[in-house]
Amino acid sequence: MRPPSRLFGRTAELEILGRLIANARRGRSAVLVVRGEPGIGKTELLRQLIAEASGFGVTRVAGVESEMELPYAGLHQLCAPMLGRLGSLAEPQRRGLSVAFGLASGDSPDRFLVALAALSLLAEAAQERPMLCVVDDAQWLDQASAEVLGFVGRRLLAEPVALV
């Protein structure tokens, strides 16, 4: 029996999030945007989602207003737990992401390569176990990270990855 939710009046939203997790467990990617006014409980919904994601690799990013001018700051938060897998990426992708994150020197990386690298990194991590990627306060993400996450969300196919 499932314990009662701490969120009163959010049954419909919790059911949608539950289906998202169930689909990812079955190897079907899912992307969901949770929108609403400040203070209505979006962060609590995300916390509940994470609590329901047993057996998942969970990676998170919280947009921070003071980091909005730092390209890839948000993406770095999301990818940091997976950086040990950089060696599995194709060399151009590995190089682009390494330069973007300050792990290697070089000219400003091609955003397409960085986006492909992020997608590949998630797909690689999802081979081990389903992945849940949670983005909170997306309005405060830097532009480069927001663009990459949009790219990734549009290209997830049959990987067991949920992006919320």
Side-chain angles (χ1 to χ4, degrees), residues 116-128:
L116 279 177
L119 178 61
S120 298
L121 203 58
L122 278 171
E124 176 69 25
Q127 288 182 7
E128 185 176 307

Side-chain angles (χ1 to χ4, degrees), residues 48-150:
Q48 186 74 30
L49 174 65
I50 291 167
E52 294 289 323
S54 64
F56 275 67
V58 177
T59 184
R60 305 162 84 173
V61 58
V64 179
E65 186 175 10
S66 63
E67 294 183 359
M68 287 181 71
E69 299 302 318
L70 301 173
Y72 304 113
L75 186 64
H76 183 266
Q77 280 185 59
L78 191 75
C79 292
M82 299 175 281
L83 289 180
R85 299 176 183 276
L86 273 178
S88 68
L89 301 181
E91 193 281 326
Q93 293 177 27
R94 180 176 55 248
R95 180 112 185 108
L97 201 58
S98 294
V99 170
F101 291 164
L103 301 172
S105 60
D107 295 332
S108 182
D110 180 282
R111 286 190 181 195
F112 182 70
L113 287 176
V114 172
L116 279 177
L119 178 61
S120 298
L121 203 58
L122 278 171
E124 176 69 25
Q127 288 182 7
E128 185 176 307
R129 60 185 173 167
M131 292 296 297
L132 172 61
C133 304
V134 176
V135 181
D136 197 7
D137 290 328
Q139 74 275 12
W140 300 123
L141 283 178
D142 60 277
Q143 186 65 34
S145 294
E147 289 174 2
V148 168
L149 289 172

Side-chain angles (χ1 to χ4, degrees), residues 21-46:
I21 289 294
N23 285 338
R25 280 189 208 286
R26 290 192 291 274
R28 290 187 292 210
S29 300
V31 179
L32 178 69
V33 176
V34 179
R35 296 176 49 147
E37 296 299 316
I40 66 165
K42 297 179 300 294
T43 297
E44 279 305 313
L45 280 171
L46 296 177

